[in-house]
Amino acid sequence: MDIALELCDTYIFDYLYSLALPAGPVPYNLKDGVTNSTMMSPRAASPWRYEPASKFISFQPTDYAYMSSWTRDNVYRQTCSLFWITWIAGAAIYFVASSLSYQFVFDKTTFKHPKFLKNQIKMEIAQATSSMPGIAVLTTPFFLLEVLGHSKLYDALEDQPFAYYNWLQFPLFLLFTDFCIYFIHRGLHHPLIYKSLHKPHHKWIMPTPYASVAFHPVDGFMQSLPYHVFPFIFPLQKFAYLALFLFVQIWTVFIHDGEYVANSPIINGAACHTMHHLYFNYNYGQYTTLWDRLGGSYRKPNEELFRRETKMGQKEWEKQVAEMEKVVKEVEGDDDRSYGTEEELKLSFKKEN
């Protein structure tokens, strides 16, 4: 995250901090100790010295980097900056990825599903945007520790701990995070905490891409925790870390897009995750079905979901609704969701098309 921080410092934060918290008057440099003097430049007067976060790419600081009393190595400044980066960058990825998926991938016939909620997309976006600041607050300490050098992130490819680790770090990351998320996610379904933490995400029986981060903030943070813990346990190359961070965000959108492409016994794709939203107690994994199979919680998606003529058919919907309503009664009690009427759903479908 130090690379992202250096980028944002150079082009955004240096200028803002120089305005909000300007440095004190620049001292004079007395040439002969008495009379002739020149004013020192901000760079010369500042105690901070620039060191690039990576040898592969750097962003040379402007004079603004030396014109704030909160220099770049000030921990309070770093904390504030990382909070804004986490919030704004996360929101940008969410809206871009979700909107592209919604426009080009998401099957809008879903609007006709009897368990699609009234004003659902607006509610998904509202839930997601209201949770983002809280998730950013909880995540920022991990990014700060990385910037302060307490993680096992490395820059140079030759700094890999052993041969081929630069390639092995990717499947290792996926296996570790998939394993951890499985147990965290399954734990969030425990009756003692489900209603207070995880139920907001299960409000969406037939989710859209905008439901991808429509969580309670503590729920969203807990399910992202393995990603942030990983570089403190295992070495991880800095650019691989940024790429995996982006991949995680996009994958989370993909498993909510309702396009059931991956009819695989291994990949936990959108079809598997739809089973989770419909029937609650199955398919807790994030990327694979491995831990669900070992934990006895795997449920194979209905074959009808992979045939376009049946995936959105009335017969399939009736079967889904009948089982889903029983599960909701067992897990939540009375269903407090507000579903659209048939006419409202038809009108919504026409507007979106």
Side-chain angles (χ1 to χ4, degrees):
M1 195 53 67
D2 53 355
I3 297 172
L5 181 59
E6 181 182 323
L7 170 66
C8 293
D9 273 336
T10 303
Y11 295 106
I12 302 172
F13 292 132
D14 285 340
Y15 175 70
L16 295 178
Y17 284 113
S18 71
L19 292 179
L21 295 163
V26 178
Y28 284 88
N29 181 24
L30 299 178
K31 292 183 178 179
D32 58 8
V34 181
T35 53
N36 296 326
S37 64
T38 57
M39 183 176 289
M40 295 177 67
S41 70
R43 289 176 184 259
S46 175
W48 173 75
R49 293 293 177 264
Y50 170 67
E51 293 183 11
S54 171
K55 74 172 190 177
F56 296 108
I57 187 171
S58 61
F59 308 95
Q60 289 298 318
T62 65
D63 286 343
Y64 289 118
Y66 305 91
M67 296 170 63
S68 173
S69 59
W70 275 16
T71 54
R72 286 191 185 183
D73 57 355
N74 182 290
V75 71
Y76 300 110
R77 167 174 167 162
Q78 291 172 332
T79 301
C80 292
S81 300
L82 288 167
F83 165 75
W84 287 107
I85 292 171
T86 305
W87 183 4
I88 301 304
I93 295 171
Y94 164 75
F95 279 109
V96 170
S98 297
S99 297
L100 289 174
S101 177
Y102 175 79
Q103 188 66 34
F104 299 108
V105 180
F106 178 66
D107 189 341
K108 305 199 175 45
T109 310
T110 305
F111 296 146
K112 294 182 178 181
H113 195 284
K115 294 302 178 181
F116 193 83
L117 304 184
K118 183 179 180 180
N119 299 319
Q120 179 170 315
I121 292 179
K122 290 181 180 179
M123 290 192 294
E124 288 173 338
I125 294 174
Q127 176 71 53
T129 53
S130 65
S131 295
M132 288 177 188
I135 295 174
V137 166
L138 295 169
T139 303
T140 296
F142 290 89
F143 290 153
L144 179 62
L145 289 173
E146 292 170 10
V147 169
L148 294 176
H150 298 298
S151 73
K152 294 188 177 183
L153 291 169
Y154 64 94
D155 183 44
L157 297 179
E158 56 268 26
D159 290 338
Q160 62 181 331
F162 54 83
Y164 303 111
Y165 185 82
N166 286 326
W167 297 105
L168 292 173
Q169 63 185 326
F170 294 100
L172 178 61
F173 177 89
L174 295 178
L175 284 171
F176 174 83
T177 55
D178 195 37
F179 168 78
C180 294
I181 290 172
Y182 171 80
F183 287 102
I184 292 171
H185 191 179
R186 188 162 187 169
L188 286 163
H189 278 260
H190 192 283
L192 291 178
I193 59 175
Y194 169 78
K195 289 185 179 180
S196 59
L197 288 183
H198 197 49
K199 183 180 175 181
H201 186 63
H202 270 276
K203 185 173 186 175
W204 332 112
I205 302 300
M206 292 297 295
T208 78
Y210 293 105
S212 56
V213 293
F215 292 98
H216 183 289
V218 175
D219 180 6
F221 168 72
M222 288 178 66
Q223 294 202 58
S224 69
L225 191 57
Y227 309 132
H228 307 304
V229 169
F230 183 89
F232 292 93
I233 301 175
F234 303 99
L236 186 62
Q237 202 277 332
K238 289 182 178 181
F239 286 96
Y241 178 51
L242 293 174
L244 286 166
F245 182 80
L246 180 62
F247 166 78
V248 165
Q249 303 296 317
I250 295 174
W251 180 266
T252 306
V253 171
F254 282 174
I255 61 175
H256 291 89
D257 66 14
E259 189 60 32
Y260 312 129
V261 176
N263 186 7
S264 165
I266 299 172
I267 298 174
N268 183 57
C272 281
H273 201 65
T274 293
M275 292 292 100
H276 178 73
H277 274 267
L278 278 168
Y279 309 127
F280 292 60
N281 298 321
Y282 305 95
N283 301 348
Y284 300 105
Q286 185 75 353
Y287 307 116
T288 74
T289 64
L290 172 62
W291 309 112
D292 280 296
R293 290 178 181 277
L294 294 175
S297 55
Y298 173 68
R299 175 163 177 166
K300 189 177 186 299
N302 302 346
E303 287 296 330
E304 290 81 359
L305 297 181
F306 300 101
R307 297 195 294 271
R308 184 157 295 278
E309 65 275 14
T310 58
K311 67 177 269 190
M312 291 296 180
Q314 190 65 33
K315 185 176 180 181
E316 174 64 14
W317 285 353
E318 288 173 357
K319 184 169 67 174
Q320 291 172 0
V321 168
E323 183 175 353
M324 167 261 167
E325 288 179 344
K326 291 180 182 178
V327 175
V328 169
K329 191 72 174 176
E330 294 172 0
V331 174
E332 299 180 354
D334 293 333
D335 189 352
D336 57 3
R337 297 168 182 80
S338 178
Y339 303 103
T341 65
E342 185 174 350
E343 290 302 316
E344 288 171 332
L345 292 171
K346 287 180 180 178
L347 180 61
S348 174
F349 180 71
K350 287 179 181 178
K351 286 181 178 178
E352 297 294 336
N353 288 274

